[in-house]
Amino acid sequence: MEKHHTFISDDLKINSFANLEPYFTDLLERPLTNTSQVNKWLTDWSELESFVSEDLAWRYIKTTCNTADKEAEAAFNSFVAEIEPKIAIVSDKINKRFLTDEVQLHIDKAKLFTMVREAKMAAKLFREENVPIEAELQQAEQEFGAITSQMTVNLGGKDMTMQQAANYIKTAERPERKRVFELMNQRRLQDKDKINSLLDRLLDKRGQLARNAGFSNYIDFRFCQLGRFDYTVQDCFDFHDAIEKIVVPIVEEINQRRKKLMNVDTLRPYDLTVDLPLGTHLKPFDTIDELVLKAGLCFRDLDAELGMYMGRMRQLGRLDLDSRVGKAPGGYNYPLHESNTSFIFMNATGNLDDMVTLMHEGGHAVHAFLCANQPLVALKNTPAEVAELASMSMELLSMAHWNHFFKDENQLKIAKLNQLEDVVSGLPWIAAIDKFQHFLYTHPNHTVGEREQAWLEIENQFGCKAVDYSGYDEIRANKWQRQLHIFETPLYYIEYGFAQLGAISIWKRFTEKPEQAIADYKKALKLGYSRSIPEIYETAGIKFCFTPDYIAELMNFVRAEMQKLEE
């Protein structure tokens, strides 16, 4: 989407930092003596940041869509290694100018308070010696996708991605599920040492960042870097404890029910994703075009404005959804602040998880559209606790219109029940991954063996006792290696847990007052990051809260909804 600029040239291309330097120099040297000049300066700074961020976004997107594209890889690496370090140094100077009296005297501090506190934190953390380390880290973090994108298994004479092969564990007969499960995990374990080695390098460099910035550990540094102003490390630990106490027993109930429905003596790990009752085959779509069409109808029926935004994503070609060899794993929505759109990346193979993933990433996408009117890019860069609230709420809200995917009423009920079971089961996994990451960074000199042992202890704490992993000790000890956040976005995961609680609360309101709940949801997302996290949640009509009593209240609601679907 073309945009007319008022500061930078409309035909600007970033081939080197020299292309950007005149604009940064202008921002550093321009006179700022009155409110009008400061407002124009802020607008111009935002325009430059938006352009640069979208340029980097497209470089990243191209590398994930095709990890074998050497030209795309070179373009991304050149930006990260050569251009971004210079931007980081000059951006720190501009950031510090923003914090000077000459600027602060002429801004509305109430409207820009989140931007001010972020700027203060960035100034506190910045160290020039960390700039090349950050560049090295950004390149190294892409190695996880490069490794995992090459993982395939041969089934029926055809090489399949892990995502494609996983469908066999959902529907095949038990002996076949076992065979495919073992093939997939044998393939993963082939790269176990390579992935551990990658993590060792990442941990070392991240620890160096923290020490250079004057922190005794990476946890405290990263909390500041992530802008976690509204909760503490102790809140994370309290969340872990509450999930273990309240949610793990519910997951145990879910899996005992699964065991009974499957009529098996022991529940094995390859039994956990089978569609139930046995013989059910949930296939919400056959083609990517069908997935996009039906998802658009869900958004439209939920709210006309949200449906319009999803239609625009399709029209602009901002969707890459199919699974293929050479494509990076996972899924994401990348906001494009220059063009005020987004890009959705997925690995869809035709199952319920894919459908839900598009609802999730679609929630992120409409969020970007809704907060596009925020005047500065800093006010569009929402923290993960808010961004994930948008996406995880959409998973639950969209269930009201899943009839577009499932015409059979029984299949529709099964799909909704599966979704709610996944919501509940996901919370212990979130707590486990977060607790594991705390171990990684508070034990900087741990060995690979100690790493595996720590994970197994955490698995025992949050895992389900009903599942028998006999004979799969090595697989279980390395389950954490599937979680790309550990490699690409350190300590970013507990946000999903906090946001999931918020999403359940929004959905609860929706079941009571649908129109009001949607209106408040949209009103909250339009705020971008112009308010604190608790204030944004409050605008949505919910609480930013993770106490045991609150979690128990929400879990009781979800259990009641599950029981309705089981009838």
PDB file of all heavy atoms in Angstrom, residues 110-115 374-375 378-383 524 526-532 535-536:
ATOM      1  N   ALA A 110       0.561  13.432  29.582  1.00  0.00           N
ATOM      2  CA  ALA A 110      -0.506  12.478  29.908  1.00  0.00           C
ATOM      3  C   ALA A 110      -0.795  11.566  28.716  1.00  0.00           C
ATOM      4  O   ALA A 110      -1.012  10.366  28.878  1.00  0.00           O
ATOM      5  CB  ALA A 110      -1.770  13.225  30.319  1.00  0.00           C
ATOM      6  N   LYS A 111      -0.789  12.153  27.506  1.00  0.00           N
ATOM      7  CA  LYS A 111      -1.074  11.362  26.316  1.00  0.00           C
ATOM      8  C   LYS A 111       0.109  10.499  25.883  1.00  0.00           C
ATOM      9  O   LYS A 111      -0.068   9.457  25.265  1.00  0.00           O
ATOM     10  CB  LYS A 111      -1.486  12.279  25.163  1.00  0.00           C
ATOM     11  CG  LYS A 111      -2.860  12.900  25.331  1.00  0.00           C
ATOM     12  CD  LYS A 111      -3.254  13.712  24.098  1.00  0.00           C
ATOM     13  CE  LYS A 111      -4.669  14.277  24.257  1.00  0.00           C
ATOM     14  NZ  LYS A 111      -5.058  15.100  23.079  1.00  0.00           N
ATOM     15  N   LEU A 112       1.313  10.954  26.226  1.00  0.00           N
ATOM     16  CA  LEU A 112       2.514  10.248  25.766  1.00  0.00           C
ATOM     17  C   LEU A 112       3.270   9.574  26.906  1.00  0.00           C
ATOM     18  O   LEU A 112       4.446   9.254  26.771  1.00  0.00           O
ATOM     19  CB  LEU A 112       3.451  11.227  25.044  1.00  0.00           C
ATOM     20  CG  LEU A 112       2.913  11.896  23.773  1.00  0.00           C
ATOM     21  CD1 LEU A 112       3.994  12.779  23.146  1.00  0.00           C
ATOM     22  CD2 LEU A 112       2.430  10.869  22.762  1.00  0.00           C
ATOM     23  N   PHE A 113       2.566   9.313  28.026  1.00  0.00           N
ATOM     24  CA  PHE A 113       3.311   8.821  29.192  1.00  0.00           C
ATOM     25  C   PHE A 113       3.923   7.444  28.934  1.00  0.00           C
ATOM     26  O   PHE A 113       5.007   7.133  29.427  1.00  0.00           O
ATOM     27  CB  PHE A 113       2.423   8.811  30.443  1.00  0.00           C
ATOM     28  CG  PHE A 113       1.695   7.519  30.699  1.00  0.00           C
ATOM     29  CD1 PHE A 113       2.220   6.572  31.557  1.00  0.00           C
ATOM     30  CD2 PHE A 113       0.493   7.233  30.053  1.00  0.00           C
ATOM     31  CE1 PHE A 113       1.551   5.382  31.802  1.00  0.00           C
ATOM     32  CE2 PHE A 113      -0.178   6.056  30.289  1.00  0.00           C
ATOM     33  CZ  PHE A 113       0.345   5.125  31.161  1.00  0.00           C
ATOM     34  N   THR A 114       3.241   6.573  28.149  1.00  0.00           N
ATOM     35  CA  THR A 114       3.835   5.261  27.863  1.00  0.00           C
ATOM     36  C   THR A 114       5.078   5.422  26.990  1.00  0.00           C
ATOM     37  O   THR A 114       6.069   4.711  27.169  1.00  0.00           O
ATOM     38  CB  THR A 114       2.826   4.343  27.156  1.00  0.00           C
ATOM     39  OG1 THR A 114       2.333   4.985  25.970  1.00  0.00           O
ATOM     40  CG2 THR A 114       1.669   3.991  28.073  1.00  0.00           C
ATOM     41  N   MET A 115       5.031   6.357  26.053  1.00  0.00           N
ATOM     42  CA  MET A 115       6.183   6.608  25.191  1.00  0.00           C
ATOM     43  C   MET A 115       7.350   7.160  26.009  1.00  0.00           C
ATOM     44  O   MET A 115       8.507   6.773  25.800  1.00  0.00           O
ATOM     45  CB  MET A 115       5.792   7.598  24.095  1.00  0.00           C
ATOM     46  CG  MET A 115       6.885   7.877  23.079  1.00  0.00           C
ATOM     47  SD  MET A 115       6.279   8.952  21.749  1.00  0.00           S
ATOM     48  CE  MET A 115       7.823   9.242  20.854  1.00  0.00           C
ATOM     49  N   GLN A 374      -3.585   5.852  15.732  1.00  0.00           N
ATOM     50  CA  GLN A 374      -2.699   6.436  16.740  1.00  0.00           C
ATOM     51  C   GLN A 374      -1.655   7.299  16.025  1.00  0.00           C
ATOM     52  O   GLN A 374      -1.077   6.887  15.025  1.00  0.00           O
ATOM     53  CB  GLN A 374      -2.015   5.342  17.560  1.00  0.00           C
ATOM     54  CG  GLN A 374      -2.920   4.631  18.540  1.00  0.00           C
ATOM     55  CD  GLN A 374      -3.413   5.543  19.655  1.00  0.00           C
ATOM     56  OE1 GLN A 374      -2.761   6.524  20.017  1.00  0.00           O
ATOM     57  NE2 GLN A 374      -4.584   5.222  20.200  1.00  0.00           N
ATOM     58  N   PRO A 375      -1.383   8.499  16.516  1.00  0.00           N
ATOM     59  CA  PRO A 375      -0.572   9.460  15.753  1.00  0.00           C
ATOM     60  C   PRO A 375       0.904   9.109  15.607  1.00  0.00           C
ATOM     61  O   PRO A 375       1.563   9.575  14.675  1.00  0.00           O
ATOM     62  CB  PRO A 375      -0.752  10.757  16.542  1.00  0.00           C
ATOM     63  CG  PRO A 375      -1.073  10.319  17.945  1.00  0.00           C
ATOM     64  CD  PRO A 375      -1.881   9.070  17.775  1.00  0.00           C
ATOM     65  N   ALA A 378       5.165   4.785  18.109  1.00  0.00           N
ATOM     66  CA  ALA A 378       5.414   4.310  19.477  1.00  0.00           C
ATOM     67  C   ALA A 378       4.112   3.952  20.183  1.00  0.00           C
ATOM     68  O   ALA A 378       4.094   3.110  21.078  1.00  0.00           O
ATOM     69  CB  ALA A 378       6.171   5.367  20.273  1.00  0.00           C
ATOM     70  N   LEU A 379       3.012   4.577  19.776  1.00  0.00           N
ATOM     71  CA  LEU A 379       1.717   4.309  20.386  1.00  0.00           C
ATOM     72  C   LEU A 379       0.984   3.166  19.699  1.00  0.00           C
ATOM     73  O   LEU A 379      -0.104   2.771  20.129  1.00  0.00           O
ATOM     74  CB  LEU A 379       0.849   5.570  20.369  1.00  0.00           C
ATOM     75  CG  LEU A 379       1.465   6.800  21.045  1.00  0.00           C
ATOM     76  CD1 LEU A 379       0.516   7.985  20.966  1.00  0.00           C
ATOM     77  CD2 LEU A 379       1.829   6.503  22.506  1.00  0.00           C
ATOM     78  N   LYS A 380       1.570   2.630  18.631  1.00  0.00           N
ATOM     79  CA  LYS A 380       1.018   1.455  17.955  1.00  0.00           C
ATOM     80  C   LYS A 380       1.738   0.182  18.385  1.00  0.00           C
ATOM     81  O   LYS A 380       1.218  -0.922  18.219  1.00  0.00           O
ATOM     82  CB  LYS A 380       1.153   1.597  16.432  1.00  0.00           C
ATOM     83  CG  LYS A 380       0.438   2.778  15.828  1.00  0.00           C
ATOM     84  CD  LYS A 380       0.718   2.863  14.325  1.00  0.00           C
ATOM     85  CE  LYS A 380       0.168   4.124  13.709  1.00  0.00           C
ATOM     86  NZ  LYS A 380       0.477   4.231  12.266  1.00  0.00           N
ATOM     87  N   ASN A 381       2.944   0.329  18.901  1.00  0.00           N
ATOM     88  CA  ASN A 381       3.753  -0.829  19.307  1.00  0.00           C
ATOM     89  C   ASN A 381       3.267  -1.349  20.656  1.00  0.00           C
ATOM     90  O   ASN A 381       3.845  -1.067  21.697  1.00  0.00           O
ATOM     91  CB  ASN A 381       5.230  -0.447  19.384  1.00  0.00           C
ATOM     92  CG  ASN A 381       5.857  -0.303  18.021  1.00  0.00           C
ATOM     93  OD1 ASN A 381       5.522  -1.040  17.087  1.00  0.00           O
ATOM     94  ND2 ASN A 381       6.761   0.653  17.873  1.00  0.00           N
ATOM     95  N   THR A 382       2.185  -2.115  20.618  1.00  0.00           N
ATOM     96  CA  THR A 382       1.574  -2.585  21.855  1.00  0.00           C
ATOM     97  C   THR A 382       2.422  -3.672  22.518  1.00  0.00           C
ATOM     98  O   THR A 382       3.039  -4.491  21.837  1.00  0.00           O
ATOM     99  CB  THR A 382       0.174  -3.151  21.585  1.00  0.00           C
ATOM    100  OG1 THR A 382       0.267  -4.137  20.555  1.00  0.00           O
ATOM    101  CG2 THR A 382      -0.769  -2.063  21.146  1.00  0.00           C
ATOM    102  N   PRO A 383       2.434  -3.701  23.848  1.00  0.00           N
ATOM    103  CA  PRO A 383       3.145  -4.785  24.539  1.00  0.00           C
ATOM    104  C   PRO A 383       2.434  -6.114  24.302  1.00  0.00           C
ATOM    105  O   PRO A 383       1.239  -6.153  23.976  1.00  0.00           O
ATOM    106  CB  PRO A 383       3.084  -4.370  26.005  1.00  0.00           C
ATOM    107  CG  PRO A 383       1.872  -3.501  26.104  1.00  0.00           C
ATOM    108  CD  PRO A 383       1.783  -2.782  24.787  1.00  0.00           C
ATOM    109  N   ALA A 524     -10.764  -1.048  23.293  1.00  0.00           N
ATOM    110  CA  ALA A 524      -9.483  -1.300  23.958  1.00  0.00           C
ATOM    111  C   ALA A 524      -8.354  -1.417  22.946  1.00  0.00           C
ATOM    112  O   ALA A 524      -7.262  -0.863  23.135  1.00  0.00           O
ATOM    113  CB  ALA A 524      -9.575  -2.569  24.801  1.00  0.00           C
ATOM    114  N   LYS A 526      -8.169  -0.145  19.974  1.00  0.00           N
ATOM    115  CA  LYS A 526      -7.902   1.140  19.318  1.00  0.00           C
ATOM    116  C   LYS A 526      -6.948   2.011  20.136  1.00  0.00           C
ATOM    117  O   LYS A 526      -6.325   2.928  19.590  1.00  0.00           O
ATOM    118  CB  LYS A 526      -9.218   1.883  19.075  1.00  0.00           C
ATOM    119  CG  LYS A 526     -10.047   1.302  17.943  1.00  0.00           C
ATOM    120  CD  LYS A 526     -11.374   2.030  17.764  1.00  0.00           C
ATOM    121  CE  LYS A 526     -12.179   1.403  16.627  1.00  0.00           C
ATOM    122  NZ  LYS A 526     -13.497   2.051  16.438  1.00  0.00           N
ATOM    123  N   LEU A 527      -6.822   1.724  21.424  1.00  0.00           N
ATOM    124  CA  LEU A 527      -5.922   2.501  22.271  1.00  0.00           C
ATOM    125  C   LEU A 527      -4.455   2.275  21.922  1.00  0.00           C
ATOM    126  O   LEU A 527      -3.604   3.082  22.304  1.00  0.00           O
ATOM    127  CB  LEU A 527      -6.152   2.154  23.747  1.00  0.00           C
ATOM    128  CG  LEU A 527      -7.468   2.624  24.366  1.00  0.00           C
ATOM    129  CD1 LEU A 527      -7.607   2.055  25.770  1.00  0.00           C
ATOM    130  CD2 LEU A 527      -7.563   4.142  24.374  1.00  0.00           C
ATOM    131  N   GLY A 528      -4.160   1.173  21.202  1.00  0.00           N
ATOM    132  CA  GLY A 528      -2.764   0.867  20.930  1.00  0.00           C
ATOM    133  C   GLY A 528      -2.007   0.748  22.231  1.00  0.00           C
ATOM    134  O   GLY A 528      -2.400  -0.013  23.125  1.00  0.00           O
ATOM    135  N   TYR A 529      -0.927   1.541  22.364  1.00  0.00           N
ATOM    136  CA  TYR A 529      -0.199   1.570  23.634  1.00  0.00           C
ATOM    137  C   TYR A 529      -0.199   2.992  24.194  1.00  0.00           C
ATOM    138  O   TYR A 529       0.810   3.485  24.678  1.00  0.00           O
ATOM    139  CB  TYR A 529       1.223   1.061  23.456  1.00  0.00           C
ATOM    140  CG  TYR A 529       1.921   0.686  24.752  1.00  0.00           C
ATOM    141  CD1 TYR A 529       1.201   0.339  25.891  1.00  0.00           C
ATOM    142  CD2 TYR A 529       3.308   0.687  24.845  1.00  0.00           C
ATOM    143  CE1 TYR A 529       1.826   0.014  27.074  1.00  0.00           C
ATOM    144  CE2 TYR A 529       3.960   0.356  26.028  1.00  0.00           C
ATOM    145  CZ  TYR A 529       3.213   0.016  27.136  1.00  0.00           C
ATOM    146  OH  TYR A 529       3.836  -0.318  28.320  1.00  0.00           O
ATOM    147  N   SER A 530      -1.359   3.644  24.102  1.00  0.00           N
ATOM    148  CA  SER A 530      -1.490   4.996  24.650  1.00  0.00           C
ATOM    149  C   SER A 530      -1.899   4.978  26.121  1.00  0.00           C
ATOM    150  O   SER A 530      -2.012   6.034  26.742  1.00  0.00           O
ATOM    151  CB  SER A 530      -2.516   5.790  23.841  1.00  0.00           C
ATOM    152  OG  SER A 530      -3.800   5.184  23.915  1.00  0.00           O
ATOM    153  N   ARG A 531      -2.139   3.787  26.672  1.00  0.00           N
ATOM    154  CA  ARG A 531      -2.491   3.614  28.085  1.00  0.00           C
ATOM    155  C   ARG A 531      -1.685   2.454  28.652  1.00  0.00           C
ATOM    156  O   ARG A 531      -1.117   1.650  27.920  1.00  0.00           O
ATOM    157  CB  ARG A 531      -3.989   3.312  28.244  1.00  0.00           C
ATOM    158  CG  ARG A 531      -4.918   4.391  27.722  1.00  0.00           C
ATOM    159  CD  ARG A 531      -4.942   5.625  28.617  1.00  0.00           C
ATOM    160  NE  ARG A 531      -5.982   6.556  28.199  1.00  0.00           N
ATOM    161  CZ  ARG A 531      -5.858   7.440  27.215  1.00  0.00           C
ATOM    162  NH1 ARG A 531      -4.722   7.483  26.518  1.00  0.00           N
ATOM    163  NH2 ARG A 531      -6.832   8.267  26.907  1.00  0.00           N
ATOM    164  N   SER A 532      -1.681   2.329  29.961  1.00  0.00           N
ATOM    165  CA  SER A 532      -0.997   1.205  30.596  1.00  0.00           C
ATOM    166  C   SER A 532      -1.769  -0.083  30.321  1.00  0.00           C
ATOM    167  O   SER A 532      -2.938  -0.048  29.914  1.00  0.00           O
ATOM    168  CB  SER A 532      -0.894   1.423  32.107  1.00  0.00           C
ATOM    169  OG  SER A 532      -2.192   1.356  32.696  1.00  0.00           O
ATOM    170  N   GLU A 535      -5.029  -0.364  32.272  1.00  0.00           N
ATOM    171  CA  GLU A 535      -6.049   0.554  31.754  1.00  0.00           C
ATOM    172  C   GLU A 535      -6.668   0.031  30.463  1.00  0.00           C
ATOM    173  O   GLU A 535      -7.872   0.185  30.230  1.00  0.00           O
ATOM    174  CB  GLU A 535      -5.438   1.933  31.516  1.00  0.00           C
ATOM    175  CG  GLU A 535      -5.147   2.708  32.782  1.00  0.00           C
ATOM    176  CD  GLU A 535      -4.441   4.024  32.504  1.00  0.00           C
ATOM    177  OE1 GLU A 535      -3.371   4.010  31.856  1.00  0.00           O
ATOM    178  OE2 GLU A 535      -4.960   5.071  32.932  1.00  0.00           O
ATOM    179  N   ILE A 536      -5.852  -0.592  29.616  1.00  0.00           N
ATOM    180  CA  ILE A 536      -6.365  -1.153  28.366  1.00  0.00           C
ATOM    181  C   ILE A 536      -7.311  -2.314  28.671  1.00  0.00           C
ATOM    182  O   ILE A 536      -8.388  -2.432  28.076  1.00  0.00           O
ATOM    183  CB  ILE A 536      -5.212  -1.589  27.450  1.00  0.00           C
ATOM    184  CG1 ILE A 536      -4.409  -0.368  26.985  1.00  0.00           C
ATOM    185  CG2 ILE A 536      -5.748  -2.356  26.230  1.00  0.00           C
ATOM    186  CD1 ILE A 536      -3.113  -0.700  26.279  1.00  0.00           C
TER     187      ILE A 536
END
